[in-house]
Amino acid sequence: AQRVTQPEKLLSVFKGAPVELKCNYSYSGSPELFWYVQYSRQRLQLLLRHISRESIKGFTADLNKGETSFHLKKPFAQEEDSAMYYCALSGRASGTYKYIFGTGTRLKVLA
Amino acid sequence: KAGVTQTPRYLIKTRGQQVTLSCSPISGHRSVSWYQQTPGQGLQFLFEYFSETQRNKGNFPGRFSGRQFSNSRSEMNVSTLELGDSALYLCASSFSGTANYGYTFGSGTRLTVV
């Protein structure tokens, strides 16, 4: 079954510390992976896509097909990074496209 | 260009009533998906429409239904409301049917059932 797992509900780090938000997926094909972010009182928005190999706001994510992971990383956390982060997967399954979200991880960056 | 617009922003309804939520996608986007967001369950997929056809449906009861019009605008209807239907309902649109460029979300409609 297609699944996106974010094992941590809450991750607290101090400002300036490295951040890694974990995402593991289960999918029997070649999925597209995404990270979305939702800041307090703002709409959910796309942060980055693995196909773009981009760095947004200092965040990067590498798709590891062997470990079926797509962890989100940032070397130095900032207080404004505090938000809810969702990992998502897009792919074809049973003849149709599926778009699946993980349950999210709340990141708190402490001063 | 305008983003994804959802109306109304807030709704308060009584148990047993029915409600209709509206979503206008970004101009040119043909795929519209609906999600229910709650603190306990996170983002739960309701259904997806592409070119007026429902392509995917989540595991929600038949009280939840939707449709998409020729201009890609979409509506979601919930009949016989229950207290547990209280949630933020999000609409997301994408240009392609595969959403490989990601979704653009609206601000949501916060539904409270009393």
Side-chain angles (χ1 to χ4, degrees), chain A residues 42 62 98:
Chain A
Q42 293 189 28
D62 291 320
K98 301 284 187 183

mmCIF file of all heavy atoms in Angstrom, chain A residues 42 62 98:
data_model
loop_
_atom_site.group_PDB
_atom_site.id
_atom_site.type_symbol
_atom_site.label_atom_id
_atom_site.label_comp_id
_atom_site.label_asym_id
_atom_site.label_seq_id
_atom_site.Cartn_x
_atom_site.Cartn_y
_atom_site.Cartn_z
ATOM 1 N N GLN A 42 -1.293 30.685 8.512
ATOM 2 C CA GLN A 42 -1.089 30.829 7.068
ATOM 3 C C GLN A 42 -1.535 29.556 6.363
ATOM 4 O O GLN A 42 -1.708 28.511 6.979
ATOM 5 C CB GLN A 42 0.381 31.118 6.752
ATOM 6 C CG GLN A 42 0.859 32.462 7.257
ATOM 7 C CD GLN A 42 2.249 32.796 6.739
ATOM 8 O OE1 GLN A 42 2.654 32.342 5.667
ATOM 9 N NE2 GLN A 42 2.973 33.591 7.505
ATOM 10 N N ASP A 62 16.815 15.149 0.120
ATOM 11 C CA ASP A 62 17.359 14.196 -0.845
ATOM 12 C C ASP A 62 16.516 12.934 -0.851
ATOM 13 O O ASP A 62 16.206 12.363 0.201
ATOM 14 C CB ASP A 62 18.811 13.837 -0.493
ATOM 15 C CG ASP A 62 19.745 15.007 -0.719
ATOM 16 O OD1 ASP A 62 19.554 15.715 -1.730
ATOM 17 O OD2 ASP A 62 20.638 15.222 0.116
ATOM 18 N N LYS A 98 -2.299 9.090 -7.308
ATOM 19 C CA LYS A 98 -2.585 9.302 -5.900
ATOM 20 C C LYS A 98 -1.688 10.402 -5.362
ATOM 21 O O LYS A 98 -0.547 10.556 -5.797
ATOM 22 C CB LYS A 98 -2.323 8.019 -5.087
ATOM 23 C CG LYS A 98 -3.135 6.821 -5.511
ATOM 24 C CD LYS A 98 -4.557 6.921 -5.027
ATOM 25 C CE LYS A 98 -5.295 5.620 -5.323
ATOM 26 N NZ LYS A 98 -6.718 5.693 -4.933
#
